[in-house]
């Protein structure tokens, strides 16, 4: 997503500096080198967790550390971004949850997930796209609002019959 691969072995897991501070320092380096610019999203908690092999709570502390250093700010439900609060965010064609929903809808249209069959669950979406649970839930809610899927409590979310799909397939 960011054009480079992290190496979890760069962390000193036995030393005196907490892991979250080490990861925050690596992100700070990316900002100082211009790899991450003002308004760019900071790697998500899920991406930090995966790339550095750290716990979700540790990834959360990375964002907090960057905010405390004045390097980043968080917008609830959207993510953490480089810069001070109010810094214009880099334009993104679609919010991430809409991009995920669009990909699932395309799979449905191609017949890869037939009617009355379950779509990937939250955990699968979190792993596949490297997103937080709230983003996966937003994607499913978006698909539901559009008419692609329906949810059965405690069972899952399933593909609707084609006649319930949106007529304007561009949305």
């Amino acid at each position: 997503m960011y054009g480079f691969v992290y190496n979890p072995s760069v962390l000193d897991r036995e030393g005196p500096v907490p892991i979250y501070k080490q990861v925050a320092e690596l992100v700070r380096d990316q900002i100082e080198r211009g790899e991450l610019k003002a308004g760019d999203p900071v790697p998500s908690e899920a991406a930090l967790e995966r790339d550095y092999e750290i716990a979700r709570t540790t990834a959360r502390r990375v964002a907090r550390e960057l905010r405390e250093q004045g390097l980043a700010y968080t917008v609830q439900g959207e993510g953490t971004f480089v810069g001070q609060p109010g810094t214009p965010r880099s334009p993104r064609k679609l919010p991430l949850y809409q991009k995920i929903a669009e990909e699932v809808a395309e799979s449905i249209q191609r017949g890869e997930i037939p009617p009355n069959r379950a779509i990937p669950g939250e955990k699968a979406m979190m792993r596949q796209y490297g997103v937080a649970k709230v983003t996966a839930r937003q994607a499913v809610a978006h698909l539901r609002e559009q008419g692609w899927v329906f949810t059965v409590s405690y069972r899952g979310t399933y593909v609707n019959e084609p006649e319930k799909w949106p007529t304007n397939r561009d949305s």
Side-chain angles (χ1 to χ4, degrees), residues 139-159:
V140 172
H142 192 66
L143 288 163
R144 202 171 27 250
E145 289 163 10
Q146 292 183 312
W148 289 108
V149 299
F150 63 96
T151 299
V152 178
S153 293
Y154 304 105
R155 299 268 309 152
T157 300
Y158 299 85
V159 175

Side-chain angles (χ1 to χ4, degrees), residues 127-141:
R127 270 193 312 275
Q128 181 177 349
Y129 296 100
V131 297
K133 186 184 288 188
V134 67
T135 306
R137 283 189 177 159
Q138 287 175 313
V140 172

Side-chain angles (χ1 to χ4, degrees), residues 77-78 92-107 109 125 129 131-132 134-146 148 169-171:
E78 292 186 40
R92 206 188 248 170
K93 291 181 184 135
L94 283 177
L96 195 49
Y97 77 90
Q98 285 183 10
K99 184 175 181 289
I100 295 167
E102 192 175 86
E103 286 186 25
V104 174
E106 288 169 2
S107 292
Q109 289 177 69
M125 283 186 192
Y129 296 100
V131 297
V134 67
T135 306
R137 283 189 177 159
Q138 287 175 313
V140 172
H142 192 66
L143 288 163
R144 202 171 27 250
E145 289 163 10
Q146 292 183 312
W148 289 108
R169 302 272 164 84
D170 294 333
S171 59

Side-chain angles (χ1 to χ4, degrees), residues 1 6 11-12 16 57 67 108 121 126 167:
M1 178 188 225
Y6 299 114
L11 301 177
D12 179 4
T57 53
R67 284 193 305 271
I108 292 169
M126 290 166 64
T167 52

